[in-house]
Amino acid sequence: MVKSLVDGDAYLAPYARALENRLSNLDEVAGRLIGQSGSRLSDIADSHNYFGLHFKNNEWVFREWAPNAESIWLIGNMTAWQRKKNFELQKRGNEGLWELHLPADALAHGDYYRLYMAWPGGGGDRIPVYARRVVQDPETLIFNAQVWHRPDYQWQYDRPDKQGGQTLIYEAHVGMAQEEGRVGSFSEFTEKVIPRIAASGYNVMQLMAVQEHPYYGSFGYHVSSFFAVSSRFGTPEELKHLIDTAHGAGLSVIMDLVHSHAVNNEVEGLSRFDGTRYQYFHDDPRGMHHAWDSRCFDYGKLPVLRFLLSNCRFWLEEYGFDGFRFDGITSMLYLDHGLEKAFTSYDDYFNSNVDEDALTYLALANTVIHEVRPDAVTIAEDISGMPGLAVPLSGGGCGFDFRLAMGVPDFWIKLTKEYRDEDWPMGTLWHELNNRRAGEGSINYAESHDQALVGDKTLMFRLADAAMYDQMHVNDTSLVIDRAMALHKMIRLITLATAGHGYLNFIGNEFGHPEWIDFPRAGNGWSYHHARRQWSLVDNPDLKYGFLQQFDRAMINLAKKASLFADPWPYLLTEHNEDKIIAFMRNGLLFVFNFHPTVSHVDYPVPAPTGKYRLVLDSDSRRYGGHDRLAPDQAYFTLPIDSNDGNRNALSLYLPTRTAIVLCMEK
């Protein structure tokens, strides 16, 4: 099975045996999970339908897995938070399974509850592992599970198709999606933000911080309750309505899935749930991620695999999500979590530092997800470059549909921080934009939330800095803002135009959102100032933000109209470092970028296939905040030239400074 993977990358040939061993391990673990049932792997990923609290046959049934527990009680407002005999769970067998049956009137919708768990030498309160609703008391800040017993949500819209191969992702965080200094809600997002996303042209929406997390400032990464929607944003029904509405607007919805680690909290998390530190996680010290202050799953334990695989299926079926971005995969794959490590050799992917159990889990997860939803999208966030992550299992890979091209935004930061404009290396830039593994789907982006988290800046703010505060008026002639806007448009266009198979943008960055992202915390006086989106900036016609938004919409819609990603690679026509020119073709579109800060090139020859071309996008257009140095909709014809490189025809173009143009070849 690994032959196609090795054939696509000759450097993998020495590791063919290791790749075969990984597939053998996958088959062996899958067999152990399925057992003698003969079922599909997705059929056993149903722990959420067995464990936790369920109302069936006119009674409440509660089950939990806690091998080290000696006794367990369900406690809550219905028991006056006391341990009562008729609310004590009974042990079933020797596998650590506990069960409780209660009459229909024992619990009511809205009741708060926990478990009191006793183990050898101690005990304590715990939030049930499979709780689907967890809320925090605004006064005491204590978390409790909540009985949630509502009629099934009635879905109104069909899911969109796979978007014709054009994966254009709008990444968003519900809580920070409003302008006011507070936490936003699912309902507000549905009403106010989804229409903006749909109008922008993006066709996939990625939601961050969906799973319950105790600390808002963790950006949703320190998950405590894996099956519970973060209640600070609203109710389960309100999230379902959000997803349903997005589907009606033609948007697929994927979520950021955090299976790379879990919060270290013990009452409202999984850590020491049954009194042991190793129930779901590795024992110390491997079970601690010290850089993140979180717990690391033991992917070699079958109950842990069932728990995580069940979580994948749950979000697809219960909430109608259309896929996942798997967060922190590099941390999962390596025992040192890939921290401060440069991956410079293929040996880095095949040694004792690799957590083979984690790699097996990711392949199992992709199997389950695509069995449940063959059209689901899975994206791997990995900085290491592990080969085969986005190769189908049938080809010897891990089964992800895409991997994030994480080196691209890092390179943009490097260019804008460390190089003068006149020193930008065109050859290196072209290499970085196209540095992806052949045969693996990839998503390009100029910036996501990562590039603007506290301590960093959004790309537009990095380019313009303090000038954004008082020089963004439409009549202002600031050269700083002029440069920033020109480069912002060019950076985003060339990142999209060279993307392997998809493109991603973080909420608000399409119109050049200023400053950075910083959630309320002690260090900033618990301020929401940087945990919001300032929509009033782009809605104000007296400011220049609208120009950036209009350009972003134009380039997104052009990519969709041209089916840009149907052609897997751009074809370089010319690259000239001194002139700061990059020109390339892709699926009938000719892209030309002049990054030079001071020189406008006249009659610049760009080799091109013979024919007639028409200008379809010009970053210098006045409608995008430019200077209108090119006539709109003008036609160009190739002319014969003498050339030593085999090109016999070229376009003669006027290329203004810091301008990108797109020409469409007419038949």
Side-chain angles (χ1 to χ4, degrees), residues 52-82:
L53 182 66
H54 300 278
F55 188 77
K56 295 181 178 179
N57 301 321
N58 204 36
E59 70 170 357
W60 294 99
V61 181
F62 181 86
R63 298 186 183 93
E64 194 65 84
W65 176 62
N68 190 54
E70 292 184 326
S71 55
I72 307 176
W73 287 265
L74 189 73
I75 61 173
N77 57 272
M78 76 294 298
T79 70
W81 300 99
Q82 302 299 310

Side-chain angles (χ1 to χ4, degrees), residues 577-598:
N577 191 59
E578 184 177 348
D579 294 341
K580 299 296 177 242
I581 297 293
I582 295 178
F584 55 92
M585 290 283 298
R586 190 169 189 183
N587 214 35
L589 296 180
L590 192 156
F591 297 83
V592 186
F593 294 81
N594 177 15
F595 282 99
H596 206 291
T598 58

Side-chain angles (χ1 to χ4, degrees), residues 312-596:
C312 295
R313 180 176 172 181
F314 169 78
W315 291 106
L316 293 172
E317 294 185 336
E318 181 66 21
Y319 286 93
F321 279 101
D322 303 297
F324 306 101
R325 167 197 180 264
F326 275 72
D327 175 72
I329 283 182
T330 306
S331 177
M332 296 172 65
L333 291 179
Y334 305 96
L335 301 187
D336 61 7
H337 307 301
L339 297 173
E340 305 298 327
K341 180 175 178 60
F343 292 85
T344 58
S345 166
Y346 274 51
D347 290 339
D348 294 328
Y349 309 126
F350 302 94
N351 57 45
S352 59
N353 185 44
V354 176
D355 188 338
E356 298 290 346
D357 291 333
L359 199 56
T360 295
Y361 164 67
L362 293 172
L364 293 169
N366 275 289
T367 301
V368 166
I369 292 165
H370 290 112
E371 283 182 0
V372 174
R373 285 280 306 278
D375 61 337
V377 171
T378 58
I379 304 171
E381 188 214 26
D382 169 52
I383 195 64
S384 76
M386 170 67 76
L389 279 182
V391 171
L393 277 80
S394 59
C398 200
F400 283 97
D401 296 295
F402 305 103
R403 64 192 309 155
L404 291 176
M406 299 182 71
V408 172
D410 288 346
F411 188 72
W412 284 124
I413 290 178
K414 183 180 180 67
L415 274 187
T416 54
K417 283 180 67 173
E418 300 178 10
Y419 288 79
R420 300 183 306 165
D421 292 4
E422 55 267 37
D423 294 333
W424 281 21
M426 295 295 100
T428 304
L429 174 58
W430 179 255
H431 169 76
E432 292 293 338
L433 289 169
N434 293 279
N435 184 20
R436 54 182 177 267
R437 302 190 63 83
E440 298 197 39
S442 64
I443 305 290
N444 265 26
Y445 57 107
E447 55 181 337
S448 70
H449 66 276
D450 284 331
Q451 279 65 49
L453 286 173
V454 62
D456 219 321
K457 303 175 182 178
T458 64
L459 182 58
M460 184 61 183
F461 198 64
R462 182 179 298 283
L463 292 167
D465 214 46
M468 293 192 74
Y469 292 127
D470 55 13
Q471 298 176 37
M472 285 293 285
H473 192 276
V474 291
N475 295 325
D476 198 299
T477 58
S478 166
L479 294 179
V480 173
I481 295 299
D482 188 70
R483 167 187 176 269
M485 291 185 61
L487 289 178
H488 189 271
K489 290 178 286 186
M490 296 181 72
I491 287 170
R492 302 179 85 76
L493 179 60
I494 198 170
T495 301
L496 167 66
T498 57
H501 307 82
Y503 175 78
L504 178 145
N505 163 71
F506 183 68
I507 181 172
N509 288 351
E510 72 277 8
F511 64 81
H513 202 281
E515 300 178 326
W516 52 86
I517 302 168
D518 187 12
F519 283 80
R521 56 188 175 86
N524 65 14
W526 303 102
S527 170
Y528 286 87
H529 180 74
H530 294 292
R532 60 195 182 105
R533 295 288 91 174
Q534 299 180 59
W535 301 109
S536 60
L537 297 176
V538 70
D539 292 341
N540 188 340
D542 293 330
L543 300 178
K544 294 183 177 182
Y545 295 95
F547 295 144
L548 296 178
Q549 181 186 64
Q550 290 303 315
F551 181 79
D552 196 79
R553 289 181 178 181
M555 76 174 196
I556 291 294
N557 288 320
L558 179 62
K560 289 197 297 186
K561 182 179 179 181
S563 297
L564 188 66
F565 303 138
D567 189 346
W569 293 93
Y571 174 71
L572 183 64
L573 298 173
T574 187
E575 172 262 304
H576 196 288
N577 191 59
E578 184 177 348
D579 294 341
K580 299 296 177 242
I581 297 293
I582 295 178
F584 55 92
M585 290 283 298
R586 190 169 189 183
N587 214 35
L589 296 180
L590 192 156
F591 297 83
V592 186
F593 294 81
N594 177 15
F595 282 99
H596 206 291

Side-chain angles (χ1 to χ4, degrees), residues 97-108:
L97 302 180
W98 297 80
E99 186 174 279
L100 174 65
H101 292 254
L102 293 169
D105 61 357
L107 300 174

Side-chain angles (χ1 to χ4, degrees), residues 2-232:
V2 302
K3 185 177 186 301
S4 59
L5 185 58
V6 174
D7 287 347
D9 185 349
Y11 291 106
L12 285 173
Y15 308 98
R17 176 64 62 85
L19 290 168
E20 292 285 0
N21 289 341
R22 287 178 177 175
L23 289 180
S24 297
N25 187 57
L26 172 62
D27 291 340
E28 189 271 331
V29 175
R32 289 166 59 202
L33 285 166
I34 295 172
Q36 302 300 315
S37 66
S39 303
R40 300 188 309 168
L41 193 63
S42 57
D43 293 330
I44 61 91
D46 64 346
S47 298
H48 57 284
N49 292 324
Y50 181 78
F51 292 109
L53 182 66
H54 300 278
F55 188 77
K56 295 181 178 179
N57 301 321
N58 204 36
E59 70 170 357
W60 294 99
V61 181
F62 181 86
R63 298 186 183 93
E64 194 65 84
W65 176 62
N68 190 54
E70 292 184 326
S71 55
I72 307 176
W73 287 265
L74 189 73
I75 61 173
N77 57 272
M78 76 294 298
T79 70
W81 300 99
Q82 302 299 310
R83 286 171 259 169
K84 294 189 175 181
K85 184 64 178 176
N86 55 331
F87 283 83
E88 184 177 5
L89 279 67
Q90 302 301 310
K91 194 172 185 179
R92 304 299 186 193
N94 298 316
E95 301 299 322
L97 302 180
W98 297 80
E99 186 174 279
L100 174 65
H101 292 254
L102 293 169
D105 61 357
L107 300 174
H109 172 74
D111 282 345
Y112 299 114
Y113 69 98
R114 290 185 177 194
L115 299 177
Y116 181 84
M117 189 169 302
W119 54 77
D125 287 5
R126 294 291 185 265
I127 301 294
V129 170
Y130 289 83
R132 299 191 182 188
R133 172 77 171 167
V134 177
V135 296
Q136 185 178 25
D137 186 289
E139 300 296 329
T140 65
L141 304 183
I142 291 175
F143 286 87
N144 287 301
Q146 187 176 34
V147 177
W148 203 255
H149 189 45
R150 280 286 178 258
D152 290 342
Y153 179 83
Q154 299 301 306
W155 298 90
Q156 301 297 311
Y157 300 102
D158 294 332
R159 301 182 181 101
D161 60 22
K162 292 201 77 170
Q163 310 297 352
Q166 305 300 301
T167 303
L168 300 160
I169 303 171
Y170 195 94
E171 181 186 44
H173 183 287
V174 168
M176 62 176 288
Q178 82 303 317
E179 185 148 358
E180 296 80 13
R182 56 179 174 78
V183 178
S185 70
F186 290 133
S187 295
E188 290 172 316
F189 190 93
T190 302
E191 177 187 354
K192 299 178 181 179
V193 182
I194 286 179
R196 291 182 182 271
I197 300 174
S200 71
Y202 293 85
N203 53 28
V204 179
M205 183 170 68
Q206 177 182 307
L207 292 183
M208 311 295 293
V210 173
Q211 296 165 292
E212 188 61 77
H213 47 290
Y215 178 45
Y216 187 47
S218 76
F219 210 78
Y221 291 141
H222 281 194
V223 175
S224 53
S225 295
F226 284 75
F227 292 86
V229 174
S230 179
S231 60
R232 57 172 58 89

